[in-house]
Amino acid sequence: MTEYTINLPGSQMPDAWYNIAADFPSAVPPPLHPGTKEPLAPSDLGAIFPDNLIEQEMSTERWISIPGEVMDAYKLWRPTPLRRAYRLEKALDTPAKIFYKNESVSPSGSHKLNTAVPQAYYNKEAGVNTLTTETGAGQWGTALSIACSMFDMHCTVYMVKVSFEQKPYRRSLIQTFGAEIVPSPSDTTDFGKAYLAKHPDSPGALGIAISEAVEVAVKSGGAIRYSLGSVLNHVMLHQTIIGEEARLQMESIDEYPDVVIGCCGGGSNLAGLSFPYARDKFNGKDITLLAVEPSACPTLTRGVYGYDFGDTGELTPLLIQYTLGHDFIPPSIHSGGLRYHGVASQIAHMVHHGYMEARALQQTKVFEAGMLFARCEGIVPAPESCHAILGAVDEAKRCRESGEAKTILFNLSGHGHFDMSSYESYLSGKLTDYDLEESLIQEATKDILQYQG
Ligand SMILES: *Cc1c(COP(=O)(O)O)cnc(C)c1O
């Protein structure tokens, strides 16, 4: 009988996260203080994050043990299944083997709970009882609200206004777990008030919602902390549970990938699957790591490599990254998620030094690949995940041409059950392809300090 699902017994679940900072051949340029532009001291982050997470953010220890209470929570859905997409292979008539790690089985429906749980746990350990955050499409708000309910904490989610209005079920889901939702920009923060005064009809953006959530934490005097769902080192770290599991699952069937693929917004699900393989790549292993992003928000392929803020209000530290500029708002005709202007420093470092490749893909082809996957494998993928699927499909088609039987591994970062309006747009022919004009990128990035070296 053909084996579709490669399960890992719970008893063999990895009990440590992998910290890529221990193995980078050259160090990632440090975060800078937004005021002084000097390298950040750990204490500078103290107004936003608890000390235990700051320690992880700056750590260069290779392995960081997963606390018992986090392991217990992980066991609600981990280890996640690794599956071989036989039907997709057949549909593509490819000699390639296609595997995917199925992160859609988590209670929140995506990989984001992998970091929401430890972030809630470490804050609770540090005596914090309330977390604030932002959410765009809603997956991160869902994940953090679930994690906070697990640890009996309060959670306030600043939700990008247009999503708040367009995604009532996402809203109800977040509220089901007890979190409070504020549509952003709002009049509950100074930044929100100032922004609304200038742009009363603003649909909101992730960068604005981040500014609001950060402001609430900074002004709370330590009672409230902020939590971020991607981009930061400790988030990448927590997500490596994905790749560490995948390694064990593939080893158990004597397989090893030639190509590892993830979609890239802030970079966390991609880091989660690929960083455990980057370890081998640094040691000379011939393996391709591939980031796939939308051509409507082409951060890695067309952004500037330099220091930029994470938010519109310029409250966050300056991080080295590829960026389209912190004021950049992706075109509204784009429906495929992955709308963040920047990317994790660690992912940018990988791409800048040639350890990772990046490709930008058009949304109609992305959804087409998602439909094919759904019909072959029975899972409706999140629009973000469809980018990784198309990356894998393109690779498999190349194998069909060349006759090469590569082993492809991609991350199915989430399911699309709350994104059916995007599918509806696709099915009714309303989605169009979009190439961002170079002049728009130049304008949005004109003040970015380019980084040499
Ligand atoms: C948030 C999200 C992404 C993008 O975020 P990354 O940090 O780049 O992983 C991708 N897929 C799904 C399902 C998401 O919820």
Side-chain angles (χ1 to χ4, degrees):
M1 205 189 90
T2 311
E3 209 58 71
Y4 280 89
T5 305
I6 299 95
N7 283 316
L8 189 66
S11 59
Q12 287 172 26
M13 207 170 113
D15 59 4
W17 294 299
Y18 169 59
N19 183 7
I20 196 170
D23 291 327
F24 273 135
S26 64
V28 178
L32 305 180
H33 189 281
T36 65
K37 312 261 163 40
E38 291 296 319
L40 208 64
S43 58
D44 294 332
L45 289 171
I48 316 180
F49 300 116
D51 287 347
N52 47 17
L53 283 176
I54 295 172
E55 196 183 311
Q56 283 189 354
E57 185 63 20
M58 307 250 165
S59 169
T60 51
E61 288 287 316
R62 181 169 293 112
W63 298 102
I64 295 182
S65 308
I66 304 174
E69 284 170 69
V70 174
M71 283 295 272
D72 286 346
Y74 273 176
K75 283 177 184 164
L76 281 173
W77 75 98
R78 305 209 71 88
T80 61
L82 178 85
R83 299 182 88 196
R84 180 157 170 198
Y86 282 105
R87 289 169 211 262
L88 181 62
E89 290 172 14
K90 197 159 171 231
L92 295 168
D93 188 25
T94 177
K97 294 177 192 169
I98 305 176
F99 291 91
Y100 63 96
K101 186 70 167 154
N102 187 0
E103 291 298 307
S104 81
V105 300
S106 94
S108 71
S110 82
H111 68 287
K112 290 207 171 69
L113 201 55
N114 296 330
T115 186
V117 165
Q119 288 196 51
Y121 167 81
Y122 285 113
N123 272 284
K124 185 83 179 185
E125 279 290 294
V128 177
N129 273 310
T130 300
L131 291 179
T132 61
T133 196
E134 74 292 330
T135 199
Q139 288 114 330
W140 172 240
T142 305
L144 195 66
S145 67
I146 294 176
C148 283
S149 79
M150 282 177 180
F151 292 98
D152 205 15
M153 297 167 76
H154 186 75
C155 179
T156 306
V157 178
Y158 285 85
M159 187 166 187
V160 174
K161 196 177 274 168
V162 56
S163 305
F164 180 88
E165 283 157 6
Q166 286 175 356
K167 299 197 157 189
Y169 294 148
R170 224 359 133 176
R171 227 158 67 198
S172 308
L173 186 61
I174 293 172
Q175 286 164 338
T176 298
F177 293 98
E180 185 189 338
I181 308 189
V182 183
S184 166
S186 77
D187 59 7
T188 67
T189 65
D190 289 342
F191 180 75
K193 277 183 215 155
Y195 199 88
L196 279 174
K198 270 192 261 167
H199 313 275
D201 300 322
S202 168
L206 219 41
I208 300 169
I210 295 176
S211 295
E212 291 206 88
V214 168
E215 181 186 318
V216 171
V218 169
K219 290 191 173 155
S220 73
I224 301 174
R225 294 295 195 219
Y226 168 71
S227 180
L228 186 63
S230 187
V231 175
L232 297 177
N233 299 344
H234 65 270
V235 180
M236 306 295 122
L237 174 80
H238 300 153
Q239 293 294 355
T240 59
I241 186 78
I242 303 172
E244 292 302 332
E245 280 179 15
R247 283 183 68 112
L248 296 175
Q249 284 162 314
M250 293 205 63
E251 259 166 41
S252 77
I253 49 167
D254 286 326
E255 294 284 358
Y256 188 92
D258 298 298
V259 190
V260 177
I261 303 172
C263 64
C264 188
S268 70
N269 86 86
L270 168 67
L273 183 65
S274 69
F275 283 4
Y277 289 101
R279 203 157 68 228
D280 297 346
K281 179 136 184 137
F282 297 148
N283 288 323
K285 183 96 185 171
D286 182 18
I287 177 171
T288 300
L289 310 178
L290 177 64
V292 184
E293 62 183 10
S295 23
C297 189
T299 314
L300 290 168
T301 49
R302 295 175 67 194
V304 171
Y305 185 66
Y307 274 101
D308 197 10
F309 295 99
D311 68 326
T312 313
E314 307 189 349
L315 296 175
T316 67
L318 286 157
L319 299 177
I320 189 82
Q321 57 190 304
Y322 284 93
T323 177
L324 296 169
H326 60 276
D327 293 324
F328 175 79
I329 297 182
S332 57
I333 57 163
H334 177 62
S335 163
L338 309 175
R339 300 165 71 95
Y340 188 61
H341 68 269
V343 71
S345 292
Q346 291 183 334
I347 292 284
H349 194 67
M350 291 286 286
V351 172
H352 186 66
H353 290 280
Y355 296 112
M356 184 177 273
E357 293 170 24
R359 209 167 286 157
L361 300 175
Q362 293 284 4
Q363 65 176 350
T364 54
K365 283 266 186 307
V366 161
F367 274 89
E368 198 179 291
M371 299 290 291
L372 176 66
F373 178 84
R375 288 171 190 184
C376 291
E377 302 299 319
I379 301 171
V380 178
E384 295 89 342
S385 313
C386 293
H387 290 76
I389 294 171
L390 179 56
V393 164
D394 283 347
E395 196 65 38
K397 283 183 178 165
R398 267 192 290 279
C399 287
R400 182 174 66 201
E401 306 309 318
S402 68
E404 242 182 315
K406 284 191 183 172
T407 301
I408 300 167
L409 170 63
F410 75 86
N411 202 2
L412 185 73
S413 53
H415 66 64
H417 297 179
F418 288 90
D419 303 288
M420 294 317 291
S421 59
S422 298
Y423 277 89
E424 189 195 295
S425 299
Y426 170 76
L427 289 165
S428 59
K430 284 191 205 122
L431 287 191
T432 50
D433 286 341
Y434 188 83
D435 266 317
L436 203 57
E437 265 174 52
E438 189 57 30
S439 60
L440 290 178
I441 297 181
Q442 299 237 327
E443 175 60 25
T445 56
K446 66 181 188 310
D447 296 330
I448 304 298
L449 191 63
Q450 294 210 22
Y451 187 83
Q452 313 294 341

